[in-house]
Amino acid sequence: MIAAMRDLPQALYTAQAVRELDRLALEQYGIAGLTLMTRAGEAVFRELRRRWPRARRVAVVCGAGNNGGDGFVVARLIYAANLPVTVSLLGDAAQLNGDARLAYEAMTSAGLNAELFSADAVRQADVVVDALFGTGLDREPRGLYLEAITAINNSAVPVIAVDIPSGLHADTGAVLGAAVRARVTVSFIGLKQGLFTGEGPEQCGEIVFDDLAISPEAYNHIAPTALLTNNDELAARLPRRDRTAHKGSHGHVLIVGGDAGMAGAARMAAQAAARVGAGLVSIATHPRHAAFCAAVQPEIMCHAVADGHDLRSLLQRVSVVAVGPGLGTAAWGKSLFDTVLDSGLPLVVDADALNLLAQDPARRHNWVLTPHPGEAARLLEMSVAEIQSDRFTAARALAARYDGVAVLKGAGSLIAGTSGPVAVCGAGNPGMATGGMGDVLTGVIAGLIAQGLTIAEAARLGVHLHARAGDAAACDGERGMLATDLLPKLRYWANPDLWNG
């Protein structure tokens, strides 16, 4: 079964889990290794011809492992289609073994021979097939391999990657020194979790999946380590509202933040909570600009609070609190944060509230923490580079240390609880890398909690809804997108009956 980006399966796996699925296909379901390799090569060839039907010159760059074997199959099929093709083998053909050797021999028997790697062959091609490394790579490419990756990237020729772009870590989404930048990646048997977070999305381009026709029963033996968020779950948790509903039926969100000079963050969070359907939304903010907040969005109730004491009466009337947007870390912000922590209410914790939490860690079962990598680094007492080198481990570590649910923001945002698979958001775009986007996400998650979703559901689906709204806003261009551009799109994506027809 072939699936394109828009309808990929939810299940994501580590490289080791995919190898186990491969083993089951061979040993338990009787599919020969060469058969799987041939199917993989055929899948790549079909996608290449579909994407680039006018391509006349193809360069296939192969390593000496099974990924290279897939490449030999692709090259043989291209040659059989009477298209000029060059095959570069980085490694000694005499060292090939197993199915890769069989695929190589089938290629040479068809009349096509491998050559030494040539940057010229890559530059002169219309399409490059990257079959250098598979999922087993765990160290930086060096020597001729590094030269090949660099030449491919410098060629500006579109690349189709076999299973995974060479140089990308299949489990973490980190680039191991250097990696091929693909236009399309055709992944097999099980989707690798590293394709969807960190540097994975940039290196992979569009992802296409083919299960190589292995038995669906094989997947019952291997639990996925992560799950992609999708529209179906969002639609299931946000059904059409009952006709007798009233504002009290959909919860009351309180946004706590907006120190002097930072009113905008709290206001955007409040607007987002309202746009995804919270029945009532209030802001507790600095007395200096409470009136301004009310004037900008009259549906939102704005309250001036001088300290934590002023906040207590408001906390008695709300369903969920989002704390942090524009809060600051000075005495005013700390007083409000401490008061919110004492309330026992479900919380969404962002921005400066996370920085305050890093200074005085606590555990709580009913909160969602939403750090970007810099905030996560402070919460875990690590460097940003360490966070980004293995985002899955970092997300799980946040949930383990602080309890509740952690949302590690960034390309391929991750949502982790203290148990179960990590959720991965495959939607979103670089236009969302602007100020205020995190404040909007905070409001979205709080608005969903107010409507009765659990904190885990609200975090997972809130990230997905926010990213879908960002993609809709990007239809007018990624560059120049503002956080407030998402607000009307949030309303659309919070009403699945519209986009489900």
Side-chain angles (χ1 to χ4, degrees):
M1 180 188 70
I2 298 176
M5 189 76 114
R6 64 184 177 274
D7 54 3
L8 293 173
Q10 275 194 284
L12 305 180
Y13 301 90
T14 62
Q16 178 57 43
V18 175
R19 283 192 287 272
E20 183 63 15
L21 285 168
D22 187 82
R23 185 192 66 78
L24 287 171
L26 269 64
E27 297 179 7
Q28 190 162 330
Y29 296 97
I31 305 175
L34 184 60
T35 299
L36 291 176
M37 188 169 285
T38 300
R39 290 175 183 174
E42 290 170 344
V44 173
F45 175 71
R46 285 193 301 269
E47 193 64 24
L48 188 156
R49 296 298 285 154
R50 187 178 77 82
R51 300 280 178 146
W52 297 282
R54 297 182 180 178
R56 291 296 174 262
R57 294 169 297 177
V58 181
V60 183
V61 185
C62 299
N66 282 344
N67 198 249
D70 297 339
F72 300 142
V73 174
V74 178
R76 176 171 56 79
L77 294 170
I78 295 170
Y79 185 71
N82 294 316
L83 292 175
V85 57
T86 62
V87 183
S88 299
L89 172 59
L90 280 73
D92 185 353
Q95 301 299 315
L96 293 170
N97 53 52
D99 297 321
R101 167 159 289 282
L102 295 175
Y104 177 79
E105 291 172 348
M107 181 187 74
T108 57
S109 295
L112 180 61
N113 294 309
E115 305 171 357
L116 295 175
F117 176 76
S118 166
D120 285 339
V122 169
R123 284 193 296 267
Q124 293 167 9
D126 297 315
V127 183
V128 174
V129 178
D130 165 30
L132 269 175
F133 297 119
T135 60
L137 186 69
D138 59 2
R139 61 187 182 279
E140 294 186 9
R142 300 186 184 279
L144 188 57
Y145 295 98
L146 179 58
E147 290 179 25
I149 290 172
T150 302
I152 290 170
N153 288 340
N154 289 342
S155 71
V157 176
V159 176
I160 183 167
V162 177
D163 203 27
I164 185 170
S166 295
L168 182 70
H169 197 288
D171 292 351
T172 67
V175 167
L176 297 169
V180 169
R181 289 191 300 273
R183 185 79 59 84
V184 179
T185 297
V186 184
S187 192
F188 313 123
I189 299 182
L191 286 169
K192 293 77 188 169
Q193 62 182 33
L195 304 184
F196 297 92
T197 196
E199 295 173 281
E202 176 67 19
Q203 303 304 132
C204 291
E206 184 170 352
I207 297 170
V208 176
F209 174 69
D210 195 307
D211 62 13
L212 305 187
I214 72 171
S215 171
E217 293 180 6
Y219 296 92
N220 296 332
H221 297 278
I222 308 295
T225 50
L227 297 171
L228 279 176
T229 60
N230 67 15
N231 294 347
D232 291 343
E233 189 178 8
L234 182 63
R237 296 299 300 134
L238 293 176
R240 183 186 292 272
R241 288 181 165 180
D242 189 89
R243 298 299 94 185
T244 60
H246 54 85
K247 63 186 179 183
S249 305
H250 308 299
H252 188 167
V253 175
L254 176 64
I255 309 294
V256 178
D259 198 355
M262 296 188 286
R267 177 172 59 83
M268 286 187 288
Q271 289 175 300
R275 284 299 185 187
V276 299
L280 295 165
V281 182
S282 297
I283 298 176
T285 192
H286 197 281
R288 185 175 298 179
H289 46 58
F292 165 74
C293 287
V296 171
Q297 190 75 57
E299 296 89 348
I300 294 171
M301 297 170 283
C302 298
H303 305 272
V305 291
D307 53 31
H309 181 268
D310 290 347
L311 186 60
R312 289 193 179 94
S313 61
L314 296 176
L315 292 170
Q316 295 173 12
R317 306 197 298 267
V318 302
S319 314
V320 56
V321 179
V323 57
L327 184 70
T329 56
W332 181 82
K334 190 173 188 312
S335 173
L336 268 58
F337 182 56
D338 290 343
T339 302
V340 166
L341 288 183
D342 289 339
S343 71
L345 288 164
L347 306 179
V348 183
V349 184
D350 187 32
D352 287 323
L354 293 170
N355 294 327
L356 289 169
L357 179 62
Q359 296 171 16
D360 188 12
R363 289 177 59 83
R364 193 183 178 101
H365 74 279
N366 63 340
W367 64 8
V368 179
L369 310 184
T370 61
H372 57 56
E375 291 159 345
R378 289 187 282 277
L379 288 165
L380 293 175
E381 301 176 279
M382 300 169 67
S383 69
V384 173
E386 288 173 315
I387 296 291
Q388 293 294 82
S389 70
D390 190 343
R391 286 169 53 82
F392 284 95
T393 295
R396 292 189 185 97
L398 286 165
R401 178 173 294 192
Y402 293 95
D403 207 353
V405 176
V407 174
L408 180 55
K409 296 184 290 195
S413 292
L414 305 181
I415 305 96
T418 54
S419 62
V422 173
V424 184
C425 182
N429 63 83
M432 300 173 72
T434 59
M437 285 290 174
D439 303 313
V440 171
L441 175 61
T442 294
V444 168
I445 295 172
L448 295 179
I449 294 173
Q451 295 172 75
L453 276 69
T454 67
I455 61 166
E457 292 169 338
R460 186 169 65 251
L461 301 181
V463 169
H464 183 78
L465 194 162
H466 178 260
R468 286 297 187 195
D471 286 340
C475 290
D476 294 324
E478 293 179 358
R479 186 174 287 109
M481 189 192 304
L482 302 179
T484 51
D485 293 338
L486 269 64
L487 294 174
K489 313 300 182 183
L490 292 175
R491 182 182 179 187
Y492 174 82
W493 279 97
N495 287 278
D497 52 300
L498 297 179
W499 41 270
N500 276 341

